[in-house]
Each structure stands twice: as C-alpha cells, then as structure tokens.
Amino acid sequence: MKKVFILSKRNIALLGLGTVGKVVYEEINNNVSYVLVKDITKKRNIQLSEKIITNDFQEIIQDKNIDIVIELIGGENPAYNYIKKSIKANKNVITANKEVMGKHGKELLNLAEKNNVFLLYEASVAGGIPIISPLVNDLSANEFSSIRGIINGTTNYILTKMSNQKLELSDVLKEAQDLGYAEADPTSDIDGFDAQYKISILSRIAFKSDVSIDQIYVEGISSIKSKDFGYASELGYTIKLLATASINQDKNLLVKVHPALIPNHVPMSSVNGVLNAVEIKGDLVGTLWFQGAGAGAKATASSVLSDLIKIQNTEKKIDINRKNTYEITSMSSHICQYYLRLNVSDKPGVLAGIAMEFGKKNISISSVLQKDLHDDGSADLVIMTYPSLERDMQASIKQIKNLDTVFNIKGMIRVESYK
Ligand code: NAP
Ligand code: HSE
C-alpha cells in the first residue's frame, strides 16, 4: 500500500529520477508536479505522466504552487545553482547532495535561514542512517570530542569483497556501480572525496565549526591491494576507509579521511558490505553507535522522505548555531601507529637500514613480517611502528625510499587507536 506523505497537495518538484529519485517518486507521485531530468527522451522503467517530466528548471522556479524542491541530481553543478535559486524563491529544499552541502553548506544554510525556509539534507550522509537530525536535535546538549565512521558504502562494499574473496579493487567496482551505490563519477568514492564531503557536514554540526573541504586530509583506497588484508589479518587487523573528526590534545579539531587498520576486536571491524557506521562521543551521552545501510535507493529514500515529513510536521525552522568553536589543525600533528608494506632486496642489513632512518626521528618498530620472496630476488617486508608523529613518519618515508636496499614503499596505512 502506498504511504500518503503530504495530503492532497501537488506542491513538490523532484529534480533527478535516477537510482534514488525513482524510489522517492514512486512513494509520493500524487504530490509531484514536476520531475526534472537531463534527458527527457530516455526510456524509464517507471510509470510517469509525460506532462510532468521536464528539462526546464525555469518552469519549476516560476511556479508559485511549488513549495518543496527535492534535489536528487548529484554533483556540484547544476545542483548547487538549482538549490540556491529554489531557496531564493522561498521554496523549501531537501537534498541528498553531500558535495553541495560539503562545499557550500554554510552559505546555503544561512540563505535558508534568511529566507525562512527549510534546507534539509539527512540523506547526504550515511544513506539511511539518521545521523544529521540526531546531531542537530536530540544530542544538541552535548559537547562532542570525536566522530569516526565508515561513511562511504561503495568503498566499504569493495574493501569487504577484497578482504573476503581476495579480489582487487578493479574486480569489484563495477558490482558496486551496478547495485546503485557509487556516485555518477566513482572516483569520488574511491579517492575519498565523498567521505570528505560527508565528514565536513558532520563536523560543521557537531563541532560548530566551519570546516572547509581543503582543511580535511584525504586519501582514498586505490593503493590498497588484496594482499594487505592478509598481512593485516596476521597482525590482528582489518582495513576500512575511516572518516574521523576529533579534538586533539591541543584542543584543535583534526578532520581526516584515509584507509585505517582497525583491530579485529572492535565493532567497526565487522561493519561490512554497504553498511555504514558512525561512532560519536559526547560529554553527556557517552559513546553512541549508529549502523545501517549507507547507500542504496530505498535506504536513501527513507532519509529523503523523513525530511519531507519533517517539513510537513514542523512549523519552526531548525536553527543551527554555527559559530567557529575550534581551530582546524593539519594532519602533520596527528599521532598513530603505522603499517608499511615495502618491496626490498632480500639481503642481510635491509631492516637495520630502515630502523636507522626511523631511529633518527625517534620512531620505533613494533613488529615485522617478511613475506613473498619474488622471482626477481626482492621480498615484501611489512613493518608496524609504535605511535609516531605524522610529520616524522613522512620525513622518514622520504629517506627510506632513497635506501639502495628499498625498491619501493608499496603501501602505508594508519592504525586506528581504540585505547
Ligand atoms: P543518479 O542515478 O545518477 O541519477 C541522477 C538523476 O539526475 C538522473 O535522473 C539524471 O537525469 C538527473 N540529472 C543529471 N544531470 C542533470 C542535469 N544537468 N539536469 C537535470 N537533471 C539531471 O543519481 P543517484 O544515485 O540517484 O543520486 C542522487 C543523489 O543522491 C546524489 O547527490 C547522490 O550523491 C545522493 N545519494 C545517493 C545514494 C545512492 O545510494 N545512490 C545514497 C545517498 C545519497 P537522466 O535520468 O535524464 O540521466
Ligand atoms: N556513493 C555514496 C556511497 C552514496 O557509496 O556511500 C551514499 O552517499
């Protein structure tokens, strides 16, 4: 049975009829007057009156009967432009667009406040998991010290398959795309930008700080190989793309996205497939854990439609108090353990040379695995360090790369601390 969201009004314009847009349309078609698409001639596997499909945004903006615009196009432009114009025309906006909210959220939220309309974006982070509304509303009495999570479904799906089935990234990407998880341009997922936009959105709310995209360290998963999962497992870890925002010892905010070694005994290590999970630490509430489908048409539609119900049921606009509370710090001051996979000459003294370079920066080695002797006489060497400063590690890596006995540093993964 179809759910009735907005009684009998036809007051909604839907921008985008792709993976998510189709499910949203099916749930609220009685209330939709326009569906904006790129290609109006495209064959669509959905019942749709030809009268409502358009590629002319001007029609929508000029129609006074439209008071809600749902943006499900994706990407920065024209989505940003359409959202801005809708708000300026005093229309409420719902979006699932993390790129727009990550890059332009501050400006658009201010504009929405000024125009006294809603700009809701629950679906922009972690798909079906309600995370923005709890941070804005139910947890607003807290001061937060950290948010960390798996907030990209595509890469989590890929890493899970690489780990379980010993596949490489390129073997699994198409599957994630076919399932509707990936962005139109999947490099946004693979290179970590999608998670970067999402953690900037969460940071802005939780830490009341304007974290711009270029203040967030980002590293994607393209250097991870299936053999890294085997080595990590021997050391007691798995590998996840982790996004974190945390207050450091100097009371500064560090926001970053990178693959991380996660100890096998913590819950984050068993968040698999398209699932996302977010762990939040608040001074009053303690540690909270949110887990659920992080991508996919229905889960995402759940968040979009919940925003719609919120507009219907709430008279007052939500006021987010965004004052700059924290200084944003850079990655160079981060301290953690490191996993390094090197391709080295299989000769005595190799390890001593590497240890000497580490020693110059006070970096100590905690364990070593020597693996896979190759036909060319080289070998894989896996090194785990004790906690060290990022800037020291980067300086050591530069020196180690120059050693005659080291052919290549194939991978460096940071170890997430759960102490
Ligand atoms: P999608 O399948 O690529 O669909 C995009 C839709 O937008 C298509 O209908 C396309 O029209 C239309 N479109 C593209 N460019 C346009 C333009 N210039 N003017 C007008 N219409 C245009 O995207 P999606 O996966 O549904 O994602 C939509 C949004 O939800 C994105 O912001 C995405 O990041 C977000 N999101 C997606 C998921 C997920 O699991 N897929 C989860 C959470 C959030 P045509 O049909 O004519 O090509
Ligand atoms: N491409 C995104 C992901 C969609 O894989 O997480 C959900 O935001």
Side-chain angles (χ1 to χ4, degrees):
M1 195 175 69
K2 190 164 287 298
K3 302 172 201 94
V4 176
F5 283 96
I6 308 256
L7 300 173
S8 57
K9 281 165 98 184
R10 273 199 180 270
N11 60 345
I12 299 175
L14 179 62
L15 317 185
L17 193 67
T19 307
V20 185
K22 265 187 201 156
V23 177
V24 168
Y25 180 75
E26 275 165 354
E27 294 289 341
I28 56 164
N29 55 21
N30 288 334
N31 310 106
V32 173
S33 295
Y34 299 93
V35 175
L36 183 87
V37 294
K38 188 170 189 178
D39 177 3
I40 48 171
T41 65
K42 200 189 237 179
K43 272 217 169 331
R44 297 173 196 272
N45 192 12
I46 186 169
Q47 277 207 320
L48 188 72
S49 151
E50 275 186 14
K51 278 190 241 152
I52 69 166
I53 199 151
T54 178
N55 56 7
D56 180 8
F57 180 69
Q58 274 312 105
E59 253 191 292
I60 295 171
I61 210 76
Q62 283 163 4
D63 188 337
K64 294 269 179 282
N65 294 317
I66 295 299
D67 51 34
I68 300 175
V69 171
I70 304 180
E71 185 279 306
L72 296 172
I73 295 174
E76 187 172 8
N77 277 309
Y80 162 65
N81 194 17
Y82 291 170
I83 292 173
K84 197 167 168 175
K85 284 190 170 152
S86 301
I87 296 172
K88 282 187 169 170
N90 295 318
K91 300 181 193 304
N92 297 293
V93 174
I94 296 168
T95 180
N97 196 319
K98 54 312 267 285
E99 181 164 0
V100 168
M101 290 310 292
K103 290 181 177 170
H104 306 285
K106 181 185 171 194
E107 179 207 355
L108 294 173
L109 286 163
N110 282 335
L111 193 63
E113 210 171 297
K114 206 171 113 202
N115 285 265
N116 203 29
V117 294
F118 285 100
L119 169 56
L120 298 180
Y121 50 104
E122 186 60 70
S124 66
V125 181
I129 305 177
I131 188 73
I132 290 172
S133 178
L135 281 173
V136 170
N137 300 305
D138 316 290
L139 300 168
S140 55
N142 286 266
E143 275 209 11
F144 298 100
S145 54
S146 86
I147 296 180
R148 62 179 161 188
I150 295 168
I151 51 176
N152 182 268
T154 303
T155 47
N156 204 41
Y157 182 85
I158 290 172
L159 292 175
T160 304
K161 286 251 164 170
M162 286 172 73
S163 168
N164 294 347
Q165 297 176 17
K166 298 194 169 44
L167 297 169
E168 296 302 340
L169 193 159
S170 53
D171 304 329
V172 201
L173 173 60
K174 173 131 193 339
E175 243 180 80
Q177 287 177 293
D178 291 346
L179 287 163
Y181 302 155
E183 295 303 303
D185 175 2
T187 52
S188 182
D189 298 292
I190 302 301
D191 291 345
F193 304 129
D194 179 83
Q196 187 187 28
Y197 305 139
K198 290 169 176 168
I199 195 70
S200 96
I201 293 171
L202 295 182
S203 302
R204 182 189 303 128
I205 304 168
F207 299 103
K208 298 180 173 59
S209 301
D210 295 321
V211 185
S212 68
I213 296 302
D214 54 16
Q215 289 174 304
I216 302 176
Y217 176 82
V218 64
E219 197 183 299
I221 64 164
S222 52
S223 68
I224 308 286
K225 302 287 171 227
S226 81
K227 63 163 69 170
D228 286 313
F229 289 93
Y231 298 155
S233 167
E234 282 190 49
L235 295 160
Y237 296 88
T238 189
I239 304 167
K240 299 286 182 192
L241 183 69
L242 210 63
T244 67
S246 54
I247 306 300
N248 71 7
Q249 60 281 5
D250 302 320
K251 299 275 177 237
N252 291 329
L253 178 61
L254 175 64
V255 191
K256 58 192 179 60
V257 174
H258 56 76
L261 258 65
I262 310 286
N264 281 332
H265 62 84
V266 302
M268 198 70 83
S269 71
S270 38
V271 176
N272 287 324
V274 74
L275 287 181
N276 280 191
V278 183
E279 182 203 82
I280 297 178
K281 288 189 181 157
D283 59 343
L284 303 174
V285 74
T287 300
L288 278 180
W289 176 260
F290 299 77
Q291 181 175 328
K298 285 191 175 172
T300 310
S302 162
S303 292
V304 171
L305 294 169
S306 302
D307 278 348
L308 188 54
I309 293 169
K310 209 170 289 161
I311 293 180
Q312 196 185 10
N313 292 345
T314 320
E315 278 171 24
K316 276 192 76 189
K317 311 290 171 277
I318 296 163
D319 176 27
I320 305 168
N321 178 15
R322 295 179 307 279
K323 58 177 188 228
N324 267 338
T325 308
Y326 292 101
E327 291 284 320
I328 318 296
T329 188
S330 75
M331 190 65 183
S332 61
S333 59
H334 181 55
I335 297 173
C336 68
Q337 285 185 269
Y338 294 83
Y339 158 106
L340 290 173
R341 176 162 59 82
L342 305 97
N343 185 237
V344 298
S345 140
D346 186 35
K347 288 194 182 132
V350 174
L351 190 58
I354 295 169
M356 199 169 83
E357 289 303 334
F358 277 147
K360 289 179 191 166
K361 293 284 177 191
N362 283 325
I363 297 173
S364 309
I365 293 173
S366 83
S367 44
V368 176
L369 301 173
Q370 171 133 15
K371 291 284 171 187
D372 286 1
L373 190 56
H374 303 294
D375 293 342
D376 61 3
S378 71
D380 275 2
L381 186 67
V382 174
I383 295 178
M384 284 279 272
T385 70
Y386 281 109
S388 322
L389 255 180
E390 176 84 15
R391 78 172 76 91
D392 291 340
M393 176 52 72
Q394 294 297 351
S396 297
I397 283 177
K398 267 195 194 144
Q399 296 308 317
I400 289 169
K401 273 185 181 161
N402 292 332
L403 295 174
D404 290 343
T405 50
V406 173
F407 301 135
N408 220 324
I409 298 186
K410 294 282 192 181
M412 184 273 266
I413 310 176
R414 298 169 187 86
V415 181
E416 185 66 8
S417 167
Y418 279 84
K419 287 189 183 118

